């Protein structure tokens, strides 16, 4: 299927690795020029080089997207995107009892305020031009809170509520806003949490991975490539009637044991 977005311009946040990179790759393969960001220059530049083989224009911006300065740099590199994929690293795990107000502020700044700020800066231009696709990478925690991730649960649900009305209003102008809720995907982040769980229990990481996969009906983790393909479809000309949705991609894990 031709997604009909060749020549469009996208900002894909936090995209040197993992899910963001999967989205940037899928969009680049569809002929979309991509502006990508991450804090680490080495991985970002390597990713930009690899994406460049698709023939599209790839602009890497080394920045922390959760800062105002970072977002300014990103928007300066691509002031009028047709597509915006909001993403950033997730907040750390922990317990409500031990979180400081600063921990909450950081989580809300990174995973709620940051996507709101980028949406605010781009959505009205998209509406004027009559095409726009905004995808927020959130988490399965939007449907079912995750015990150890209270900071993430709060910030991501906040973002989901914050854009729900705008998603409906913008759709009149062929601009959609949707949330994608990843379950367990095989990325550095997931491998990092498996490693910590393995250390805590004194077992091999393969044991933890085996247990985690066994708890997923599909029997495996998702891949960034299949995540990116779903996002690219949501950004396509064909997806203009899909807005305000929060779409789980979790191998059938929700609503839990059957
Ligand atoms: P990942 O593999 O660790 O990749 C994170 C990417 O984001 C890297 O390119 C990283 O590069 C960049 N990044 C992180 N913080 C950034 C910042 N402040 N500014 C700019 N770039 C930043 O993580 P992932 O698994 O793709 O996760 C992406 C998001 O999805 C996270 O919010 C995560 O919580 C959420 N999520 C993931 C899963 C999963 O199973 N993988 C499930 C649910 C939700 P630098 O470090 O160089 O900046």
């Amino acid at each position: 299927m031709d997604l009909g977005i060749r020549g469009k311009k996208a900002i894909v946040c936090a995209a040197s690795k993992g899910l963001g990179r999967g989205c940037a790759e899928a969009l680049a393969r569809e002929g979309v020029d991509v502006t990508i960001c991450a804090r680490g220059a080495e991985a970002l530049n390597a990713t930009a080089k690899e994406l460049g083989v698709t023939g599209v224009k790839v602009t890497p911006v080394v920045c922390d997207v959760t800062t105002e300065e970072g977002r300014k740099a990103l928007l300066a590199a691509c002031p009028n995107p047709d597509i915006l994929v909001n993403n950033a690293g997730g907040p750390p795990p922990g317990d409500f009892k031990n979180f400081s107000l600063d921990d909450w502020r950081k989580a809300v700044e990174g995973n709620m305020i940051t996507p709101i700020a980028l949406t605010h800066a781009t959505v009205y231009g998209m509406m004027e031009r009559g095409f726009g696709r905004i995808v927020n990478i959130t988490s399965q925690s939007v449907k079912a809170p995750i015990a150890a991730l209270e900071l993430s649960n709060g910030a991501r649900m906040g973002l989901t509520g914050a854009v729900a009305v705008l998603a409906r209003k913008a759709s009149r102008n062929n601009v959609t806003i949707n949330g994608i809720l990843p379950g367990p995907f095989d990325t550095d982040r997931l491998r990092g949490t498996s490693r910590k769980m393995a250390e805590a229990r004194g077992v091999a990481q393969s044991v933890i991975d085996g247990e985690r996969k066994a708890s997923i009906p599909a029997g495996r983790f998702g891949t960034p490539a299949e995540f990116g393909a779903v996002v690219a479809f949501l950004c396509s000309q064909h997806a203009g009637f899909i807005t305000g949705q929060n779409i789980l991609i979790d191998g059938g894990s929700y609503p839990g044991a059957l």
Side-chain angles (χ1 to χ4, degrees):
M1 182 191 282
D2 179 356
L3 297 189
I5 47 178
R6 190 161 295 280
K8 301 268 187 218
K9 293 183 293 248
I11 291 178
V12 185
C13 304
S16 65
K17 297 178 188 168
L19 303 180
R21 178 180 168 143
C23 297
E25 267 177 10
L27 290 167
R29 267 200 307 276
E30 292 302 319
V32 175
D33 292 336
V34 289
T35 298
I36 57 175
C37 80
R39 294 161 303 179
E42 199 180 324
L44 184 70
N45 290 331
T47 295
K49 203 168 163 195
E50 286 169 39
L51 296 190
V53 301
T54 57
V56 301
K57 185 175 170 209
V58 182
T59 308
V61 179
V62 177
C63 70
D64 180 342
V65 73
T66 67
T67 66
E68 227 172 295
E69 195 190 8
R71 293 189 290 272
K72 254 189 206 159
L74 196 52
L75 289 166
C78 184
N80 298 305
D82 306 294
I83 291 166
L84 168 66
V85 179
N86 280 312
N87 186 31
D95 188 276
F96 196 97
K97 192 174 182 188
N98 305 319
F99 292 138
S100 66
L101 286 184
D102 258 1
D103 293 331
W104 283 105
R105 287 189 187 103
K106 251 187 220 154
V108 168
E109 187 70 39
N111 298 101
M112 181 178 171
I113 303 292
T114 291
I116 287 174
L118 288 173
T119 298
H120 189 266
T122 57
V123 71
Y124 299 104
M126 291 177 181
M127 288 168 72
E128 256 174 57
R129 297 189 298 277
F131 179 91
R133 301 285 184 261
I134 297 177
V135 177
N136 294 321
I137 299 180
T138 60
S139 164
Q140 62 183 359
S141 68
V142 166
K143 292 269 185 208
I146 299 171
L149 291 176
E150 289 164 292
L151 293 172
S152 172
N153 297 339
R156 298 186 194 283
M157 284 189 203
L159 172 64
T160 304
V163 299
V165 173
L166 178 63
R168 272 82 186 174
K169 284 186 180 164
S171 64
R172 289 255 164 179
N173 296 50
N174 190 25
V175 175
T176 67
I177 304 178
N178 291 290
I180 296 279
L181 286 50
F185 276 79
D186 191 10
T187 65
D188 277 7
R189 177 170 166 100
L190 179 138
R191 287 188 284 273
T193 57
S194 284
R195 195 168 45 246
K196 278 188 197 141
M197 288 158 82
E199 281 163 14
R201 277 179 45 196
V203 297
Q205 195 168 329
S206 56
V207 172
I208 301 292
D209 281 345
E211 288 174 4
R212 290 181 89 174
K213 286 178 187 169
S215 73
I216 303 165
R220 65 176 179 86
F221 298 135
T223 69
E226 61 194 344
F227 186 89
V230 174
V231 170
F233 178 76
L234 275 182
C235 294
S236 75
Q237 292 282 3
H238 312 295
F241 207 49
I242 306 174
T243 199
Q245 300 306 301
N246 291 287
I247 300 163
L248 263 174
I249 318 183
D250 68 349
S253 300
Y254 182 83
L258 297 176

